[in-house]
Amino acid sequence: MSQESTSLSFIATPANVVNGEITVPGDKSVSHRSIMFGALAEGTTHISGFLPGQDCLATMNSFKAMGIEIEGPDAEQNVTVYGKGLHGLTAPEQPLDIGNSGTSIRLLSGILAGQRFGTSMAGDSSLNKRPMGRVITPLKQMGANIDAASDGTPPVVTQALGQDQQLNAIHYDLPMASAQVKSCVLLAGMYANGTTSVTEPGITRDHTERMLTAFGYPVTVEGNKISIEGGHKLKACDIQVPGDISSATFFMVAGLIAKEGQITIKNVGMNPTRIGAINILKQMNGDLSVMNERMAGGEPVADILVKASNLQGIDINESDVPLAIDEFPAIFIAAACASGTTRLRGAEELRVKESDRIQAMADGLTILDINCTVYDDGIDIIGGQITSGTVDSQDDHRIAMSFAISSLRATGAVTILDCDNVATSFPNFVTLANQVGLSLNQE
C-alpha cells in the first residue's frame, strides 16, 4: 500500500462560534526533566499532568533500564518515581534506545558522564543524524570518557569513571544558545569536583534551573551565567506539569479568530522564556486575559481567557521571535485573519524545524487565497478572506493543527494532508477542537 493511501488527513469545515473550557497536554520539557530529577532524587516523586508522548516515554524507559522503579502514567497522567539518589543508577543490560528524543540523549549524556558504569545510547534514523559534538566537547573538558561516531552523531558511548575518579568543574561559554547543551553541562556539574558554570549568548529555556531549585539543589543565576556546585543532593518533591503553551496557542488563535464566543485554557505554563505568542497576539489587538497566576513545580502557570477579536496586522518585534519560535504557524493564521499586513523578520530558525515552516505555511496560505511574500528570515502576510482547498502539512504537526483552526474563517472545507504525527505531540487535539466548536474530521 502506498504512503498516500494510509496517511491521515484532516477535513475541517467552517464553523463560526467557539466556546468552552479546556486543558491542553503537559509541557514536554518539564515532563522529561521531572522523570530525570525524580530518578536522581532521594525519596518518592509524584508527577501530575505528565505528557505521555513517545519522546517522554523514551526518557522514562531509559531510567527503568537503569534500575529505577517508575509507576504510570495512569489514565490521569500521574507518574510515581522511586528515586535512588545521584549515585543510585545501575548499568543497563542493553544500549539505551532513545527513539526520536534529542532532549533525552543530550541531557542523559550529562548524567551518564558522571556514572561508575559505561553504556551507549542511540535512537531512530532521524535522531542518529543529529550532532552530538556540542555536548561531547564540554563533557570531555570535564574529564568524561565519552564519544560519538566519527562524524559526531549517535551512538553516544560513555565509559565508567574509576573508583577514585571524579569529573572536574569547568566554566563553559556556550557557542550557541541551546537549553539542551546548557542543561547537559549543569547536570554533569552535579557530579563534578567544584563549581561548574555556563554562560549563554542569548536567553534559552530555563526549565532545568527552575526544577533543580524545586528539588532543593542550589543553583546560582547571575545574568546569563548559571553556576552549580557538585556534591549536593536532590530531594524528592511533587511536580505538577503545566499545560504546554505551544499546544495552547492553537486554541488561543482559534478563540481570537472565531466570529463569536470565548475559550478558557486552564493551567498553561507561563515561563517567561516561552510567552512570545501571548505578547504578539495582544499586540495584534487580541482580547486575551491571563488569570489565576500561580507557581507549580517551580514553574509559573495561569489560566488564559480568549474572546473573539478584530485582529490588526503588526510588525512583530524581533525580541519576541525566540520566545515564540514554535508558535509561529498558528500566529500566521491569526495574521491571515487580521486587517492589514503582519511582517516577521529575524526568524531564519523556522526554516530548520520539522519542516521549512515559513515556506510550508506560505504555500498553504496561498492555496487558501491569502497574499504573502516570503523572505529568507521571515514573511509578510496580508490579511484577507480564507477560502477552501487542500494543503500539505509536510508531515509537520504544527502546520497541520494551524490549518485546522483556519477553518473557523474559511468559506468552505479545508483539507490537510499528512496529519499522522499530530498524535505524537498533541494526542487529543481533534477531540478538544470539536469540543470547543470546530468541525474537524479525520480520514
Side-chain angles (χ1 to χ4, degrees):
M1 238 181 177
S2 74
Q3 164 125 35
E4 286 70 29
S5 60
T6 57
S7 84
L8 186 71
S9 296
F10 287 169
I11 298 166
T13 47
N16 291 326
V17 184
V18 296
N19 267 309
E21 185 177 287
I22 58 169
T23 304
V24 294
D27 185 281
K28 188 153 82 163
S29 299
V30 177
S31 294
H32 277 299
R33 287 162 175 81
S34 63
I35 296 288
M36 293 180 182
F37 291 16
L40 299 176
E42 302 188 353
T44 303
T45 292
H46 300 280
I47 305 162
S48 58
F50 180 78
L51 175 67
Q54 297 301 319
D55 286 3
C56 298
L57 294 175
T59 291
M60 180 184 288
N61 291 331
S62 296
F63 281 94
K64 284 182 176 177
M66 292 186 285
I68 301 297
E69 186 188 345
I70 302 174
E71 292 170 0
D74 63 13
E76 274 75 54
Q77 312 312 343
N78 296 310
V79 174
T80 305
V81 184
Y82 297 93
K84 290 187 170 180
L86 275 179
H87 299 282
L89 301 179
T90 53
E93 291 177 5
Q94 256 119 40
L96 297 174
D97 178 3
I98 307 297
N100 187 239
S101 180
T103 301
S104 304
I105 198 164
R106 292 199 175 116
L107 271 61
L108 270 166
S109 294
I111 293 168
L112 292 173
Q115 302 302 321
R116 305 251 173 248
F117 61 83
T119 188
S120 79
M121 298 182 283
D124 65 12
S125 57
S126 159
L127 184 85
N128 289 344
K129 295 190 188 105
R130 294 194 209 170
M132 295 297 143
R134 49 177 61 181
V135 293
I136 287 173
T137 298
L139 292 174
K140 281 191 159 174
Q141 287 177 24
M142 297 176 80
N145 194 338
I146 184 167
D147 266 304
S150 56
D151 61 353
T153 59
V156 173
V157 180
T158 60
Q159 307 290 341
L161 287 175
Q163 265 328 102
D164 309 324
Q165 212 182 346
Q166 198 178 355
L167 297 179
N168 299 311
I170 59 167
H171 174 75
Y172 192 63
D173 287 313
L174 281 176
M176 81 296 285
S178 165
Q180 290 179 358
V181 179
K182 170 179 70 173
S183 298
C184 168
V185 176
L186 293 174
L187 293 176
M190 296 192 296
Y191 294 93
N193 193 7
T195 300
T196 296
S197 58
V198 177
T199 302
E200 46 184 357
I203 292 174
T204 66
R205 299 175 179 191
D206 64 354
H207 300 298
T208 296
E209 298 93 300
R210 286 174 179 271
M211 198 173 287
L212 281 167
T213 303
F215 276 87
Y217 201 107
V219 182
T220 306
V221 180
E222 302 161 295
N224 60 347
K225 179 183 171 189
I226 305 102
S227 307
I228 187 168
E229 186 184 36
H232 294 273
K233 293 177 178 177
L234 294 163
K235 298 175 192 71
C237 65
D238 292 352
I239 295 288
Q240 181 190 4
V241 179
D244 196 315
I245 195 163
S246 298
S247 299
T249 300
F250 298 106
F251 289 96
M252 286 187 235
V253 172
L256 295 174
I257 67 173
K259 300 246 171 59
E260 55 183 284
Q262 62 182 49
I263 302 176
T264 303
I265 311 159
K266 306 281 283 183
N267 196 44
V268 179
M270 297 294 289
N271 186 300
T273 61
R274 301 279 299 276
I275 56 170
I278 292 177
N279 301 341
I280 291 165
L281 293 170
K282 279 186 169 178
Q283 286 157 18
M284 294 177 77
N285 196 43
D287 186 343
L288 191 152
S289 310
V290 176
M291 308 174 303
N292 193 15
E293 296 180 66
R294 58 207 183 272
M295 294 297 288
E299 292 279 346
V301 297
D303 303 333
I304 298 173
L305 171 66
V306 288
K307 298 180 181 177
S309 302
N310 292 317
L311 298 178
Q312 310 290 329
I314 61 165
D315 290 356
I316 293 169
N317 290 330
E318 285 203 25
S319 60
D320 278 322
V321 172
L323 310 183
I325 199 71
D326 285 335
E327 290 75 54
F328 276 113
I331 292 167
F332 289 178
I333 299 299
C337 300
S339 34
T341 303
T342 298
R343 297 177 185 84
L344 170 68
R345 297 292 184 274
E348 308 88 337
E349 181 75 10
L350 283 175
R351 291 193 175 273
V352 292
K353 292 287 186 179
E354 282 82 340
S355 67
D356 176 344
R357 286 183 172 159
I358 292 175
Q359 195 60 53
M361 287 301 297
D363 292 346
L365 288 170
T366 302
I367 288 165
L368 301 178
D369 290 318
I370 296 296
N371 277 325
C372 44
T373 308
V374 169
Y375 298 88
D376 287 346
D377 65 339
I379 190 170
D380 290 353
I381 299 170
I382 303 173
Q385 175 61 62
I386 293 172
T387 57
S388 65
T390 299
V391 300
D392 188 347
S393 77
Q394 312 274 337
D395 203 23
D396 185 326
H397 54 121
R398 297 200 195 281
I399 306 287
M401 291 185 276
S402 298
F403 282 112
I405 58 174
S406 76
S407 62
L408 282 164
R409 291 287 284 275
T411 57
V414 178
T415 300
I416 306 128
L417 307 178
D418 268 344
C419 300
D420 302 73
N421 65 11
V422 168
T424 61
S425 73
F426 198 155
N428 60 340
F429 172 72
V430 173
T431 306
L432 286 183
N434 288 324
Q435 186 182 315
V436 298
L438 277 83
S439 176
L440 190 55
N441 290 299
Q442 306 184 68
E443 271 197 2

